[in-house]
Amino acid sequence: MERLNAWTTYDLDTQKACLSFADEYRQFISDNKTERECVDTFVNEAAKAGYVELCEAVKQKKELKPGDKVYCAWMNKSIVLFQIGTEPMENGLNILGAHIDSPRMDVKQNPLYEKGGFGYLDTHYYGGIKKYQFVARPLALHGVIVKKDGETVVLSVGEDEDDPVFFVSDLLIHLAQDQMQKKASEVIEGEALDLIIGNKPIIIDAKTKPLTVQDKFDDEKKLAADAVKKALLQLLEEKYGIKEDDFESAELEVVPAGKARDAGFDRSMILGYGQDDRVCAYPSFRAQLAVEMPRRTSVTLLVDKEEIGSVGATGMQSHFFENALAEVMNLAGQYSELSLRRCLANSDMLSSDVSSAFDPSWAQCFEEKNTAYLGRGMVFNKFTGSRGKSGSNDASAEYIAHLRAIFDQEGVITQTAELGKVDVGGGGTIAYILARYGMNVIDSGVPVLNMHAPSEATSKADIYEAFKGYKAFLREASLRNE
């Protein structure tokens, strides 16, 4: 079964729209490299589009009517947006779900130390990464430090041209004979991923330097202990007002520095960090804003912690979405425990997550008939998981047929795929978590090359087709109501 290359279906106007959307997406992933940054941007854009904060709507006892728009940001790291439809919510929702966390390194709570004349921040890697890909490259530091008095210091260092960058060192090739014999998973150990942040010791002003040689020797000996660390602490306090113990209540993420870029002479692709899964989150958010007066209430759910199992208060396994939905139904005069259960069970969802793209350089890992290709449109994975479909949601044939009809009618270019050859590997998404309610769920998204690497590659055409597909899905009625 052959799949169309999306580019071959575009007229000049469609190609222009595709490239314009891709430019906006590229800027988004350049500016938003953490969950908090994504949520801040989504909140600002949603407010401009007429969305009201759910907490405020609850306080004001606002009565929600068809067409009304509300959002709930949870702990600044997850967000859900609702646009009330004309049908009762008990009939179900149309839900887009994606995640906004990406593999990276996180700074530990007691991170700052000095060794060999370098100042370091100790880190713990987050999500599935090839650790050797994060060494000997420019890195940036993003996040927040919350002080005991409640003040929040926001950090983003390493992105502007005038900013310093940071790095993790690697062993020079001339001395790496033993290192080169190790397995790839052991070339760089997790505890070796420590960020170099300085090298200059603290300096005493010339006016206060000791006058005698002995005094000078004694003073320099005393200062020599952690002199670089002391200089860094002095700098951090002067520039940001933070002390060493403030790291205890910090969330700092180490990510690749620099902007996402067009890739290829033809500029058909985007190369940049964090596209798993912001390449699905951004089109989902834009689709949510684009749909007006849907038949079913449209929902876009953008969550944290997918890369480590969707755990924690901001992950999909928490109840924050269910709680927000209960509040929305109550404001719409439609809440009861039974109605909430029926709403969830009757809902349809696209679990919008990336899929592995066929890579000719590693063709042995793919089954070519059942893999995704860059440029051939948005991808549907009937199931993910690993080995014998372990840990996967497996969408029904009826639901897939319903979606095929929607996308054919709207001219959305689609393809189907599995995540590599059987028994070669596998992966998971948030699909199985929402499927617990009994709703229809399927994985759908954008194919990615270099997934989980510091620079991932996507096709602009696939991103645009995903946006078109998500809009079409949000406008449609439920399979169960047809």
Short mmCIF file of all heavy atoms in Angstrom, two decimals, residues 415-479:
data_model
loop_
_atom_site.label_atom_id
_atom_site.label_comp_id
_atom_site.label_asym_id
_atom_site.label_seq_id
_atom_site.Cartn_x
_atom_site.Cartn_y
_atom_site.Cartn_z
N GLN A 415 -0.64 8.38 7.29
CA GLN A 415 0.07 7.12 7.11
C GLN A 415 -0.05 6.32 8.40
O GLN A 415 -0.42 6.87 9.45
CB GLN A 415 1.54 7.37 6.75
CG GLN A 415 2.28 8.25 7.74
CD GLN A 415 3.71 8.53 7.32
OE1 GLN A 415 4.42 7.64 6.82
NE2 GLN A 415 4.17 9.76 7.50
N THR A 416 0.19 5.03 8.34
CA THR A 416 0.16 4.19 9.53
C THR A 416 1.55 3.64 9.79
O THR A 416 2.37 3.53 8.86
CB THR A 416 -0.84 3.03 9.37
OG1 THR A 416 -0.45 2.24 8.23
CG2 THR A 416 -2.26 3.55 9.18
N ALA A 417 1.81 3.29 11.04
CA ALA A 417 3.17 2.85 11.38
C ALA A 417 3.20 2.05 12.66
O ALA A 417 2.25 2.06 13.46
CB ALA A 417 4.08 4.07 11.52
N GLU A 418 4.27 1.33 12.83
CA GLU A 418 4.67 0.73 14.10
C GLU A 418 6.02 1.34 14.49
O GLU A 418 6.73 1.89 13.65
CB GLU A 418 4.77 -0.79 13.99
CG GLU A 418 3.45 -1.47 13.71
CD GLU A 418 3.56 -2.98 13.72
OE1 GLU A 418 4.57 -3.52 14.22
OE2 GLU A 418 2.63 -3.64 13.20
N LEU A 419 6.38 1.19 15.76
CA LEU A 419 7.62 1.79 16.25
C LEU A 419 8.77 0.79 16.10
O LEU A 419 9.20 0.16 17.05
CB LEU A 419 7.45 2.22 17.71
CG LEU A 419 8.47 3.21 18.25
CD1 LEU A 419 8.37 4.54 17.52
CD2 LEU A 419 8.27 3.44 19.74
N GLY A 420 9.24 0.65 14.86
CA GLY A 420 10.34 -0.27 14.59
C GLY A 420 9.89 -1.70 14.41
O GLY A 420 8.71 -2.04 14.50
N LYS A 421 10.86 -2.57 14.11
CA LYS A 421 10.57 -3.99 13.92
C LYS A 421 10.08 -4.64 15.22
O LYS A 421 10.45 -4.21 16.32
CB LYS A 421 11.83 -4.73 13.45
CG LYS A 421 12.16 -4.58 11.97
CD LYS A 421 13.35 -5.44 11.61
CE LYS A 421 13.64 -5.39 10.13
NZ LYS A 421 14.85 -6.18 9.77
N VAL A 422 9.30 -5.70 15.07
CA VAL A 422 8.88 -6.48 16.22
C VAL A 422 10.12 -7.00 16.94
O VAL A 422 11.07 -7.48 16.32
CB VAL A 422 7.99 -7.66 15.77
CG1 VAL A 422 7.61 -8.52 16.97
CG2 VAL A 422 6.75 -7.14 15.06
N ASP A 423 10.15 -6.88 18.25
CA ASP A 423 11.23 -7.35 19.13
C ASP A 423 12.49 -6.50 19.08
O ASP A 423 13.45 -6.77 19.80
CB ASP A 423 11.61 -8.81 18.85
CG ASP A 423 10.55 -9.79 19.32
OD1 ASP A 423 9.75 -9.42 20.20
OD2 ASP A 423 10.52 -10.92 18.79
N VAL A 424 12.53 -5.44 18.23
CA VAL A 424 13.71 -4.59 18.20
C VAL A 424 13.69 -3.58 19.34
O VAL A 424 14.70 -3.27 19.94
CB VAL A 424 13.83 -3.87 16.84
CG1 VAL A 424 14.87 -2.75 16.89
CG2 VAL A 424 14.21 -4.87 15.75
N GLY A 425 12.53 -3.05 19.64
CA GLY A 425 12.44 -2.04 20.70
C GLY A 425 11.00 -1.76 21.04
O GLY A 425 10.20 -2.67 21.21
N GLY A 426 10.66 -0.49 21.10
CA GLY A 426 9.29 -0.10 21.41
C GLY A 426 9.24 1.19 22.19
O GLY A 426 10.27 1.83 22.44
N GLY A 427 8.04 1.58 22.56
CA GLY A 427 7.86 2.81 23.31
C GLY A 427 6.42 2.96 23.73
O GLY A 427 5.57 2.15 23.36
N GLY A 428 6.14 3.98 24.52
CA GLY A 428 4.79 4.18 25.01
C GLY A 428 4.40 5.64 24.99
O GLY A 428 5.24 6.53 24.78
N THR A 429 3.12 5.90 25.20
CA THR A 429 2.56 7.25 25.20
C THR A 429 1.57 7.34 26.35
O THR A 429 1.48 6.45 27.19
CB THR A 429 1.86 7.54 23.87
OG1 THR A 429 0.69 6.71 23.77
CG2 THR A 429 2.77 7.27 22.68
N ILE A 430 0.75 8.41 26.34
CA ILE A 430 -0.27 8.54 27.37
C ILE A 430 -1.57 7.86 26.97
O ILE A 430 -2.54 7.86 27.72
CB ILE A 430 -0.56 10.03 27.70
CG1 ILE A 430 -1.15 10.76 26.47
CG2 ILE A 430 0.69 10.71 28.21
CD1 ILE A 430 -1.62 12.17 26.79
N ALA A 431 -1.61 7.23 25.79
CA ALA A 431 -2.87 6.69 25.27
C ALA A 431 -3.52 5.70 26.22
O ALA A 431 -4.74 5.75 26.48
CB ALA A 431 -2.62 6.02 23.91
N TYR A 432 -2.75 4.76 26.77
CA TYR A 432 -3.32 3.71 27.60
C TYR A 432 -3.95 4.26 28.88
O TYR A 432 -4.86 3.64 29.46
CB TYR A 432 -2.26 2.66 27.94
CG TYR A 432 -1.26 3.11 28.99
CD1 TYR A 432 -1.42 2.75 30.33
CD2 TYR A 432 -0.16 3.90 28.65
CE1 TYR A 432 -0.50 3.17 31.28
CE2 TYR A 432 0.73 4.32 29.60
CZ TYR A 432 0.57 3.95 30.92
OH TYR A 432 1.46 4.38 31.88
N ILE A 433 -3.48 5.42 29.33
CA ILE A 433 -3.99 5.99 30.59
C ILE A 433 -5.41 6.51 30.39
O ILE A 433 -6.30 6.26 31.21
CB ILE A 433 -3.06 7.11 31.08
CG1 ILE A 433 -1.64 6.56 31.29
CG2 ILE A 433 -3.59 7.73 32.37
CD1 ILE A 433 -0.60 7.63 31.54
N LEU A 434 -5.66 7.23 29.29
CA LEU A 434 -7.00 7.71 29.00
C LEU A 434 -7.92 6.58 28.59
O LEU A 434 -9.13 6.61 28.85
CB LEU A 434 -6.95 8.77 27.90
CG LEU A 434 -6.64 10.22 28.29
CD1 LEU A 434 -7.69 10.78 29.23
CD2 LEU A 434 -5.26 10.38 28.89
N ALA A 435 -7.36 5.53 27.95
CA ALA A 435 -8.17 4.40 27.53
C ALA A 435 -8.77 3.66 28.72
O ALA A 435 -9.76 2.93 28.56
CB ALA A 435 -7.33 3.45 26.68
N ARG A 436 -8.22 3.85 29.90
CA ARG A 436 -8.78 3.21 31.11
C ARG A 436 -10.23 3.61 31.36
O ARG A 436 -10.99 2.90 32.00
CB ARG A 436 -7.94 3.58 32.33
CG ARG A 436 -6.56 2.95 32.36
CD ARG A 436 -5.73 3.55 33.49
NE ARG A 436 -4.40 2.94 33.57
CZ ARG A 436 -3.40 3.43 34.31
NH1 ARG A 436 -3.60 4.54 35.00
NH2 ARG A 436 -2.24 2.83 34.34
N TYR A 437 -10.61 4.79 30.87
CA TYR A 437 -11.98 5.24 31.06
C TYR A 437 -12.95 4.56 30.10
O TYR A 437 -14.16 4.72 30.23
CB TYR A 437 -12.07 6.75 30.86
CG TYR A 437 -11.34 7.57 31.90
CD1 TYR A 437 -10.19 8.28 31.55
CD2 TYR A 437 -11.78 7.62 33.22
CE1 TYR A 437 -9.52 9.05 32.50
CE2 TYR A 437 -11.11 8.38 34.17
CZ TYR A 437 -9.98 9.08 33.81
OH TYR A 437 -9.31 9.84 34.75
N GLY A 438 -12.42 3.82 29.13
CA GLY A 438 -13.26 3.16 28.14
C GLY A 438 -13.46 3.97 26.88
O GLY A 438 -14.21 3.56 26.00
N MET A 439 -12.82 5.12 26.78
CA MET A 439 -12.99 5.96 25.59
C MET A 439 -12.19 5.39 24.41
O MET A 439 -11.30 4.56 24.58
CB MET A 439 -12.54 7.39 25.88
CG MET A 439 -11.06 7.57 26.12
SD MET A 439 -10.57 9.32 26.34
CE MET A 439 -11.28 9.73 27.93
N ASN A 440 -12.53 5.83 23.20
CA ASN A 440 -11.75 5.51 22.01
C ASN A 440 -10.47 6.34 22.02
O ASN A 440 -10.53 7.57 22.12
CB ASN A 440 -12.53 5.85 20.74
CG ASN A 440 -13.59 4.82 20.43
OD1 ASN A 440 -13.32 3.63 20.40
ND2 ASN A 440 -14.81 5.29 20.18
N VAL A 441 -9.32 5.67 21.88
CA VAL A 441 -8.04 6.37 21.86
C VAL A 441 -7.14 5.73 20.80
O VAL A 441 -7.11 4.51 20.66
CB VAL A 441 -7.31 6.30 23.22
CG1 VAL A 441 -6.04 7.14 23.19
CG2 VAL A 441 -8.20 6.74 24.35
N ILE A 442 -6.44 6.57 20.06
CA ILE A 442 -5.40 6.08 19.16
C ILE A 442 -4.23 7.06 19.19
O ILE A 442 -4.42 8.25 19.40
CB ILE A 442 -5.92 5.93 17.71
CG1 ILE A 442 -4.89 5.19 16.84
CG2 ILE A 442 -6.28 7.28 17.10
CD1 ILE A 442 -5.42 4.79 15.48
N ASP A 443 -3.03 6.51 19.01
CA ASP A 443 -1.84 7.36 18.92
C ASP A 443 -1.75 7.96 17.52
O ASP A 443 -1.89 7.25 16.52
CB ASP A 443 -0.57 6.54 19.19
CG ASP A 443 -0.43 6.19 20.65
OD1 ASP A 443 -0.24 7.12 21.45
OD2 ASP A 443 -0.53 5.00 20.99
N SER A 444 -1.55 9.26 17.47
CA SER A 444 -1.39 9.93 16.18
C SER A 444 -0.46 11.11 16.36
O SER A 444 -0.51 11.79 17.37
CB SER A 444 -2.74 10.42 15.65
OG SER A 444 -3.21 11.51 16.41
N GLY A 445 0.38 11.34 15.37
CA GLY A 445 1.29 12.47 15.52
C GLY A 445 2.17 12.67 14.31
O GLY A 445 1.74 12.49 13.17
N VAL A 446 3.42 12.98 14.57
CA VAL A 446 4.38 13.39 13.53
C VAL A 446 5.60 12.47 13.59
O VAL A 446 6.11 12.21 14.68
CB VAL A 446 4.80 14.86 13.75
CG1 VAL A 446 5.87 15.28 12.77
CG2 VAL A 446 3.59 15.79 13.65
N PRO A 447 6.08 11.99 12.46
CA PRO A 447 7.31 11.18 12.47
C PRO A 447 8.55 12.04 12.74
O PRO A 447 8.62 13.18 12.28
CB PRO A 447 7.36 10.56 11.08
CG PRO A 447 6.51 11.44 10.22
CD PRO A 447 5.49 12.07 11.11
N VAL A 448 9.50 11.46 13.48
CA VAL A 448 10.69 12.20 13.90
C VAL A 448 11.94 11.35 13.65
O VAL A 448 11.97 10.16 13.96
CB VAL A 448 10.61 12.55 15.40
CG1 VAL A 448 11.89 13.22 15.88
CG2 VAL A 448 9.42 13.46 15.68
N LEU A 449 12.96 11.97 13.07
CA LEU A 449 14.30 11.38 13.01
C LEU A 449 15.11 11.86 14.21
O LEU A 449 14.94 12.98 14.68
CB LEU A 449 15.03 11.83 11.74
CG LEU A 449 14.79 11.09 10.43
CD1 LEU A 449 15.64 11.73 9.34
CD2 LEU A 449 15.11 9.62 10.54
N ASN A 450 16.02 11.02 14.69
CA ASN A 450 16.90 11.35 15.83
C ASN A 450 16.10 11.50 17.12
O ASN A 450 16.47 12.31 17.99
CB ASN A 450 17.69 12.65 15.61
CG ASN A 450 18.41 12.74 14.31
OD1 ASN A 450 18.69 11.73 13.67
ND2 ASN A 450 18.73 13.95 13.90
N MET A 451 15.02 10.77 17.29
CA MET A 451 14.17 10.96 18.46
C MET A 451 14.98 10.84 19.76
O MET A 451 15.78 9.93 19.92
CB MET A 451 13.03 9.94 18.46
CG MET A 451 11.91 10.24 19.44
SD MET A 451 10.69 8.92 19.54
CE MET A 451 10.06 8.87 17.87
N HIS A 452 14.75 11.76 20.67
CA HIS A 452 15.39 11.87 21.99
C HIS A 452 16.83 12.37 21.93
O HIS A 452 17.50 12.46 22.96
CB HIS A 452 15.35 10.55 22.77
CG HIS A 452 14.02 10.26 23.39
ND1 HIS A 452 13.88 9.56 24.56
CD2 HIS A 452 12.76 10.58 23.01
CE1 HIS A 452 12.60 9.45 24.86
NE2 HIS A 452 11.90 10.07 23.92
N ALA A 453 17.31 12.72 20.74
CA ALA A 453 18.64 13.31 20.63
C ALA A 453 18.56 14.82 20.89
O ALA A 453 17.47 15.40 20.88
CB ALA A 453 19.22 13.06 19.24
N PRO A 454 19.70 15.48 21.14
CA PRO A 454 19.67 16.93 21.35
C PRO A 454 19.10 17.71 20.17
O PRO A 454 18.59 18.80 20.34
CB PRO A 454 21.15 17.27 21.59
CG PRO A 454 21.73 16.01 22.13
CD PRO A 454 21.03 14.91 21.41
N SER A 455 19.21 17.17 18.96
CA SER A 455 18.60 17.79 17.78
C SER A 455 17.78 16.73 17.05
O SER A 455 18.35 15.75 16.55
CB SER A 455 19.66 18.36 16.84
OG SER A 455 20.29 19.49 17.41
N GLU A 456 16.47 16.94 16.98
CA GLU A 456 15.57 16.02 16.30
C GLU A 456 15.10 16.66 14.99
O GLU A 456 15.05 17.88 14.88
CB GLU A 456 14.36 15.71 17.19
CG GLU A 456 14.74 15.06 18.51
CD GLU A 456 13.60 15.05 19.52
OE1 GLU A 456 12.99 16.12 19.72
OE2 GLU A 456 13.34 13.98 20.10
N ALA A 457 14.75 15.82 14.01
CA ALA A 457 14.37 16.32 12.69
C ALA A 457 12.94 15.94 12.35
O ALA A 457 12.51 14.80 12.60
CB ALA A 457 15.31 15.78 11.62
N THR A 458 12.19 16.89 11.79
CA THR A 458 10.82 16.66 11.35
C THR A 458 10.60 17.30 9.99
O THR A 458 11.36 18.17 9.57
CB THR A 458 9.80 17.26 12.34
OG1 THR A 458 10.12 18.66 12.53
CG2 THR A 458 9.83 16.55 13.68
N SER A 459 9.54 16.88 9.30
CA SER A 459 9.15 17.46 8.02
C SER A 459 8.10 18.54 8.24
O SER A 459 7.13 18.33 8.98
CB SER A 459 8.60 16.39 7.10
OG SER A 459 7.91 16.97 6.00
N LYS A 460 8.28 19.66 7.60
CA LYS A 460 7.29 20.74 7.71
C LYS A 460 5.93 20.29 7.20
O LYS A 460 4.89 20.70 7.75
CB LYS A 460 7.78 21.96 6.93
CG LYS A 460 9.03 22.61 7.51
CD LYS A 460 9.47 23.81 6.69
CE LYS A 460 10.70 24.47 7.29
NZ LYS A 460 11.13 25.66 6.53
N ALA A 461 5.91 19.45 6.17
CA ALA A 461 4.63 18.97 5.63
C ALA A 461 3.89 18.13 6.66
O ALA A 461 2.66 18.24 6.80
CB ALA A 461 4.87 18.18 4.35
N ASP A 462 4.60 17.27 7.39
CA ASP A 462 3.95 16.42 8.39
C ASP A 462 3.36 17.27 9.52
O ASP A 462 2.28 16.97 10.05
CB ASP A 462 4.96 15.43 8.96
CG ASP A 462 5.50 14.47 7.91
OD1 ASP A 462 4.78 14.23 6.92
OD2 ASP A 462 6.63 14.00 8.08
N ILE A 463 4.08 18.31 9.92
CA ILE A 463 3.59 19.20 10.98
C ILE A 463 2.29 19.87 10.54
O ILE A 463 1.32 19.95 11.31
CB ILE A 463 4.65 20.25 11.34
CG1 ILE A 463 5.93 19.57 11.83
CG2 ILE A 463 4.13 21.21 12.40
CD1 ILE A 463 7.13 20.51 11.92
N TYR A 464 2.26 20.34 9.31
CA TYR A 464 1.08 21.01 8.80
C TYR A 464 -0.09 20.04 8.65
O TYR A 464 -1.24 20.38 8.97
CB TYR A 464 1.39 21.67 7.46
CG TYR A 464 0.27 22.54 6.94
CD1 TYR A 464 -0.19 23.64 7.67
CD2 TYR A 464 -0.33 22.27 5.71
CE1 TYR A 464 -1.21 24.43 7.19
CE2 TYR A 464 -1.34 23.07 5.22
CZ TYR A 464 -1.79 24.15 5.97
OH TYR A 464 -2.81 24.93 5.50
N GLU A 465 0.18 18.83 8.19
CA GLU A 465 -0.89 17.83 8.07
C GLU A 465 -1.45 17.46 9.44
O GLU A 465 -2.66 17.22 9.59
CB GLU A 465 -0.38 16.59 7.34
CG GLU A 465 -0.06 16.81 5.88
CD GLU A 465 -1.24 17.32 5.07
OE1 GLU A 465 -2.35 16.77 5.22
OE2 GLU A 465 -1.06 18.28 4.29
N ALA A 466 -0.60 17.41 10.45
CA ALA A 466 -1.08 17.15 11.81
C ALA A 466 -2.03 18.25 12.26
O ALA A 466 -3.09 17.98 12.84
CB ALA A 466 0.09 17.00 12.77
N PHE A 467 -1.65 19.49 12.02
CA PHE A 467 -2.51 20.62 12.38
C PHE A 467 -3.86 20.50 11.68
O PHE A 467 -4.92 20.66 12.30
CB PHE A 467 -1.81 21.92 11.99
CG PHE A 467 -2.67 23.15 12.08
CD1 PHE A 467 -3.24 23.54 13.28
CD2 PHE A 467 -2.89 23.94 10.96
CE1 PHE A 467 -4.04 24.68 13.36
CE2 PHE A 467 -3.67 25.07 11.03
CZ PHE A 467 -4.26 25.44 12.23
N LYS A 468 -3.87 20.21 10.38
CA LYS A 468 -5.11 20.04 9.64
C LYS A 468 -5.93 18.89 10.21
O LYS A 468 -7.16 18.99 10.37
CB LYS A 468 -4.81 19.76 8.16
CG LYS A 468 -4.30 20.96 7.38
CD LYS A 468 -3.72 20.54 6.03
CE LYS A 468 -4.68 19.68 5.21
NZ LYS A 468 -4.04 19.24 3.94
N GLY A 469 -5.25 17.78 10.52
CA GLY A 469 -5.96 16.63 11.06
C GLY A 469 -6.57 16.89 12.42
O GLY A 469 -7.71 16.47 12.70
N TYR A 470 -5.84 17.58 13.28
CA TYR A 470 -6.36 17.87 14.62
C TYR A 470 -7.57 18.79 14.55
O TYR A 470 -8.55 18.62 15.29
CB TYR A 470 -5.26 18.50 15.49
CG TYR A 470 -4.08 17.59 15.77
CD1 TYR A 470 -2.83 18.10 16.10
CD2 TYR A 470 -4.21 16.21 15.71
CE1 TYR A 470 -1.75 17.27 16.36
CE2 TYR A 470 -3.13 15.37 15.95
CZ TYR A 470 -1.91 15.91 16.28
OH TYR A 470 -0.85 15.09 16.53
N LYS A 471 -7.52 19.77 13.67
CA LYS A 471 -8.69 20.65 13.50
C LYS A 471 -9.90 19.85 13.03
O LYS A 471 -11.02 20.03 13.54
CB LYS A 471 -8.38 21.75 12.48
CG LYS A 471 -7.62 22.92 12.99
CD LYS A 471 -7.73 24.12 12.05
CE LYS A 471 -7.27 23.81 10.64
NZ LYS A 471 -7.37 24.99 9.76
N ALA A 472 -9.71 18.99 12.03
CA ALA A 472 -10.82 18.19 11.50
C ALA A 472 -11.41 17.30 12.59
O ALA A 472 -12.64 17.16 12.70
CB ALA A 472 -10.33 17.34 10.33
N PHE A 473 -10.55 16.71 13.41
CA PHE A 473 -11.01 15.82 14.48
C PHE A 473 -11.85 16.58 15.50
O PHE A 473 -12.91 16.11 15.93
CB PHE A 473 -9.81 15.19 15.16
CG PHE A 473 -10.13 14.45 16.44
CD1 PHE A 473 -10.71 13.20 16.40
CD2 PHE A 473 -9.86 15.02 17.68
CE1 PHE A 473 -11.03 12.53 17.57
CE2 PHE A 473 -10.15 14.37 18.85
CZ PHE A 473 -10.74 13.11 18.80
N LEU A 474 -11.42 17.76 15.91
CA LEU A 474 -12.15 18.51 16.93
C LEU A 474 -13.53 18.95 16.45
O LEU A 474 -14.44 19.15 17.26
CB LEU A 474 -11.34 19.74 17.37
CG LEU A 474 -10.08 19.46 18.18
CD1 LEU A 474 -9.39 20.76 18.54
CD2 LEU A 474 -10.37 18.66 19.44
N ARG A 475 -13.69 19.09 15.15
CA ARG A 475 -14.98 19.55 14.62
C ARG A 475 -16.01 18.42 14.50
O ARG A 475 -17.20 18.69 14.35
CB ARG A 475 -14.78 20.16 13.22
CG ARG A 475 -14.13 21.52 13.22
CD ARG A 475 -14.36 22.22 11.89
NE ARG A 475 -13.78 21.46 10.79
CZ ARG A 475 -12.60 21.74 10.24
NH1 ARG A 475 -11.88 22.75 10.69
NH2 ARG A 475 -12.13 21.04 9.22
N GLU A 476 -15.57 17.16 14.55
CA GLU A 476 -16.45 16.06 14.20
C GLU A 476 -17.22 15.51 15.40
O GLU A 476 -16.83 15.67 16.55
CB GLU A 476 -15.64 14.92 13.56
CG GLU A 476 -15.17 15.25 12.17
CD GLU A 476 -16.31 15.56 11.23
OE1 GLU A 476 -17.31 14.82 11.22
OE2 GLU A 476 -16.20 16.56 10.49
N ALA A 477 -18.34 14.82 15.07
CA ALA A 477 -19.15 14.16 16.08
C ALA A 477 -18.48 12.84 16.48
O ALA A 477 -17.55 12.35 15.83
CB ALA A 477 -20.55 13.89 15.55
N SER A 478 -18.99 12.23 17.53
CA SER A 478 -18.46 10.98 18.02
C SER A 478 -18.83 9.81 17.14
O SER A 478 -19.90 9.80 16.51
CB SER A 478 -18.99 10.73 19.44
OG SER A 478 -18.76 9.40 19.84
N LEU A 479 -17.99 8.81 17.12
CA LEU A 479 -18.33 7.56 16.45
C LEU A 479 -19.60 6.97 17.04
O LEU A 479 -20.47 6.48 16.34
CB LEU A 479 -17.15 6.57 16.59
CG LEU A 479 -17.40 5.11 16.19
CD1 LEU A 479 -17.73 5.02 14.70
CD2 LEU A 479 -16.21 4.26 16.53
#
